[in-house]
Amino acid sequence: MAEQNTSEISKAETKKVQQEDSDDSFEYEYHKGLPEKEFEENLEYLKNHPLFLKEIPENIQDNPGVVALQNLIYNDEPIKIARHFNTKGGEFIKQGLNNYTMKEAMKCYDEGIAQDFTDGELRGKLHCNRAFLHLKNKNYGKALQDVKLCVASDPKNIKGYYRGATAYFALDKLKEALEYCDKGLEIDPESKEFIQLKDQIWASIKKKEEKVEKEKALEKTAFGKVIRYFREKGYVLGKRIHEIPDAYKLDPYLDEEKHLHFSVCVSYPEFSQMDFIKDAKDSDIIKDHLKEILKSGLPWDEKGHYNMKSIEVYLEMNTTAPLHSSDNHTNFQQAYLRISRKNTFEQVLKLNGYVMPHLIDLIIISRESDFYKKFKEDNEFIKAA
């Protein structure tokens, strides 16, 4: 009888243990749901898990999962790491060129180049690919730095020579561009890309030579002497763009004392009106001419806003094509530049980016006028140096 009781107790205990180990408790918890705090914690964990991230965080050290994945990449031989980043950079470029893909590709090539390995061909590819991105961003100087490192690492990298020729051509360094084309053609004499680029470079060289010949021929004329004077002084003379009355039409000329003479157009954009000074010279001070014009008031300025206390004087930069070359003309931005009324016209002519369209055009605006705000909002301006 005792044995039977013991057996029944043993069966009961076994059943109890089986119930405790069953899924009943799990099913109960599942239907009940996670506590809100635990649910939020789990959700936040999933959001920050590397598999579900929409973008890589700026500070990856704050995300242990990303750090772990990064360690998997970097825990390898430097050449394999470099090869990985070269491939990854190419994948970004294949997605299409935009700010994001180019930025990420640049990071990849930077990481690959930073690795310590001796494979010249791979290092050449990395520099060549980074040069491609610099070219797209028009950073020609940086592109050339990478090109030189590319061909130094791998003299047979034909893309490196092509990108070097392209960068030099963009910088108007035509001799160097031809040299890189020739080096590329040594590797592949039948390359259509190099042949076409070389033809473009030769066409540009011919155009420059023709321009020099025209300038030399022009310098033999009376007006040519003015052109030569402009070049010697660092001024830039441009094509005429203004329709002005014949009475005020004057080509720049030099007097016996070698002073430059020209016409001046004073424009009032608020009223679409102009005044003309037929004969001014380079040593004249701007304010002296403006005082003379404004002393009796302007007939169209009914509110009297235009006076020597309220006006500002502007030039419009790069409004016309230069008639000659100039080493001092390196600013090609088309915009307005405010100048001092105390300047001489000579100081105006020396401004980098000012191309004189056969006369000097002064734009006058009054701070007291409602038009002043519109003028400032609607136009681009160059900050004075």
Side-chain angles (χ1 to χ4, degrees), residues 12-49:
E13 288 178 349
T14 301
K15 186 176 181 181
K16 181 180 179 181
V17 171
Q18 287 175 342
Q19 287 177 342
E20 289 176 354
D21 290 341
S22 72
D23 289 334
D24 290 346
S25 59
F26 172 77
E27 290 176 1
Y28 170 76
E29 292 295 330
Y30 173 79
H31 290 299
K32 181 180 179 183
L34 291 172
E36 184 177 352
K37 183 178 179 181
E38 188 177 348
F39 174 80
E40 292 294 336
E41 289 176 353
N42 287 341
L43 183 62
E44 189 65 24
Y45 170 78
L46 290 174
K47 284 181 180 179
N48 290 304
H49 194 281

Side-chain angles (χ1 to χ4, degrees), residues 88-201:
K88 193 68 178 175
E91 290 173 357
F92 278 114
I93 291 174
K94 288 177 182 177
Q95 293 176 27
L97 296 178
N98 55 54
N99 288 338
Y100 171 75
T101 57
M102 291 176 71
K103 181 180 177 182
E104 294 303 315
M106 186 74 76
K107 288 180 182 177
C108 289
Y109 297 138
D110 288 344
E111 288 283 2
I113 289 168
Q115 302 305 311
D116 184 14
F117 62 97
T118 57
D119 187 323
E121 183 179 353
L122 177 57
R123 189 166 292 281
K125 286 180 181 179
L126 284 160
H127 281 293
C128 188
N129 290 336
R130 193 166 69 176
F132 169 77
L133 295 175
H134 286 314
L135 282 173
K136 290 297 180 182
N137 286 325
K138 297 185 178 181
N139 292 328
Y140 302 118
K142 289 185 177 180
L144 285 172
Q145 290 176 9
D146 269 319
V147 162
K148 291 173 182 178
L149 290 168
C150 164
V151 297
S153 300
D154 180 13
K156 296 295 183 182
N157 190 316
I158 192 168
K159 286 185 179 179
Y161 293 112
Y162 185 79
R163 285 165 188 170
T166 303
Y168 275 125
F169 189 29
L171 293 171
D172 203 32
K173 294 186 177 182
L174 306 182
K175 179 183 176 182
E176 293 86 346
L178 279 177
E179 289 175 355
Y180 267 72
C181 277
D182 289 339
K183 289 177 180 177
L185 287 168
E186 287 177 9
I187 299 172
D188 182 4
E190 304 298 323
S191 171
K192 292 181 180 179
E193 290 82 3
F194 275 104
I195 292 171
Q196 290 174 357
L197 180 57
K198 192 172 182 178
D199 287 344
Q200 291 174 20
I201 296 168

Side-chain angles (χ1 to χ4, degrees), residues 235 262 281-287 339-351 360:
Y235 308 157
F262 42 81
K281 63 181 179 180
D282 50 9
S283 59
D284 290 351
I285 299 173
I286 294 172
K287 70 176 182 179
I339 60 172
S340 171
R341 292 171 291 180
K342 297 178 181 179
N343 283 351
T344 63
F345 287 116
E346 181 178 14
Q347 289 173 299
V348 168
L349 290 167
K350 286 182 176 178
L351 290 169
I360 289 181

